[in-house]
Amino acid sequence: MSDKWRNGAGAVATLTFDVDAEAPILAHGRHYAAHASTMSHQAYGPDVGVPRILDLLDETGVPATFFIPGWVAERRPGLAARIVDRGHEVAHHSYSHRPPTSLAPGEERADFERGMEVFAAQGIEISGHRAANWEATYETAELVADHGLLYDSSLMGDDRPYRIPTAKGVVTELPVHWSLDDWEQYAFLPAPHVGSVVESPRKVLQMWTDEIDAMAHYGSLFNLTNHPFLTGRPSRAMALRKLIEHALSRGDVTFLRCRDVAKLAAEDADLATRPSAPPPADSLGAFPPGPA
């Protein structure tokens, strides 16, 4: 097991915030733009949740990474710059928040590049990428490498960083998992259906506290994904604060931006390499072929 990327820490924690705003709901259908309540639910993220989270990060003294769809950055000029000015990283989260697995050939690249153009126009340095809904394709890592980015954070093949070789170069993967995503805990809308259980922040805090303790034991990457329209709500923000305070009190957990973890991982010669390629599903003749 390689541990050089941890630089002596028991675990490395990356706090990541997907500032999706209205984009994931509009990706379900443009007609939701006429749903005033639903749109206000999503706008709460950048308008209320992000400022609250930025203050929380200032008060606890930890850095974070904010993944923003290009459409959101475009509609809210200055949002990305304000985050960077507070010492945090802004990373690429598609343009339209349409999952790559739902796009026709060529559309993933077009959406990816449109998002990159928004950040370039705003003078925001981009080092990493996260696929919408984590629904990466087998071309996603190659797109990341082709555009000179350091890392992707969409896959689940480990609980430590690993390398993905592509035809365009090597990408560092900072893996994620559903158990470290607040969407699975807090997301609810009547339409479109995005979740149906609103958990207690106490339960979520206990689950994530147990996970960070276990990851310090195993030398893992605690890559937490939060959404400001969810975790920006008061009791949930307080639960996040308690989680950060617990991790800091341990003395063996380091908080870093994703960009900084990727740089350390890229310098670790012993980091695992996990090629990304589809399994030979055609050999499973008994299984239905699925949609064309």
Side-chain angles (χ1 to χ4, degrees):
M1 180 183 73
S2 174
D3 60 4
K4 296 175 185 174
W5 65 273
R6 287 186 280 118
N7 199 26
V12 174
T14 45
L15 300 179
T16 73
F17 300 92
D18 290 4
V19 190
D20 297 339
E22 303 91 346
I25 306 306
L26 296 177
H28 281 269
R30 294 183 182 181
H31 65 284
Y32 288 112
H35 292 211
S37 178
T38 299
M39 291 297 100
S40 70
H41 180 263
Q42 299 303 120
Y44 180 99
D47 296 347
V48 179
V50 167
R52 178 171 289 152
I53 288 165
L54 288 173
D55 288 345
L56 186 160
L57 296 172
D58 280 350
E59 292 159 8
T60 53
V62 297
T65 299
F66 290 74
F67 289 88
I68 307 179
W71 182 87
V72 176
E74 196 171 53
R75 281 184 51 82
R76 292 175 168 84
L79 172 65
R82 287 194 295 273
I83 291 169
V84 171
D85 288 346
R86 300 283 284 268
H88 307 293
E89 175 188 3
V90 166
H92 184 17
H93 193 33
S94 80
Y95 175 79
S96 63
H97 206 281
R98 290 179 296 165
T101 52
S102 73
L103 300 178
E107 288 184 339
E108 179 182 5
R109 176 175 289 275
D111 187 85
F112 188 104
E113 292 180 347
R114 189 174 180 185
M116 291 292 290
E117 289 167 2
V118 170
F119 293 114
Q122 295 184 0
I124 302 297
E125 178 188 358
I126 297 295
S127 299
H129 167 266
R130 173 172 286 168
N133 292 7
W134 295 341
E135 292 187 28
T137 69
Y138 286 101
E139 287 70 47
T140 302
E142 186 170 310
L143 264 177
V144 172
D146 194 21
H147 286 78
L149 304 188
L150 295 176
Y151 71 89
D152 177 69
S153 185
S154 312
L155 305 181
M156 307 188 189
D158 206 326
D159 49 42
R160 305 178 185 93
Y162 58 97
R163 289 191 177 92
I164 301 176
T166 81
K168 299 295 184 178
V170 176
V171 170
T172 298
E173 181 64 31
L174 304 183
V176 292
H177 192 261
W178 301 115
S179 62
L180 291 177
D181 184 356
D182 66 348
W183 194 289
E184 304 309 305
Q185 307 303 321
Y186 299 138
F188 171 81
L189 280 175
H193 178 76
V194 297
S196 56
V197 178
V198 180
E199 293 285 6
S200 162
R202 292 184 183 182
K203 175 186 174 183
V204 177
L205 173 60
Q206 183 62 61
M207 180 175 68
W208 290 345
T209 299
D210 289 346
E211 191 70 17
I212 205 165
D213 288 345
M215 286 186 158
H217 175 80
Y218 285 105
S220 301
L221 174 66
F222 181 85
N223 192 8
L224 184 68
T225 300
N226 282 172
H227 298 76
F229 77 93
L230 297 173
T231 288
R233 296 280 171 179
S235 64
R236 300 166 184 178
M238 289 301 295
L240 178 61
R241 178 188 293 272
K242 291 175 183 176
L243 176 71
I244 294 170
E245 291 171 346
H246 169 78
L248 291 172
S249 73
R250 287 185 53 95
D252 62 350
V253 175
T254 299
F255 286 86
L256 294 174
R257 300 174 300 180
C258 289
R259 173 188 296 154
D260 301 320
V261 178
K263 289 177 180 177
L264 289 168
E267 295 169 357
D268 188 343
D270 299 324
L271 204 71
T273 297
R274 304 193 186 284
S276 182
D282 289 346
S283 65
L284 301 173
F287 287 79

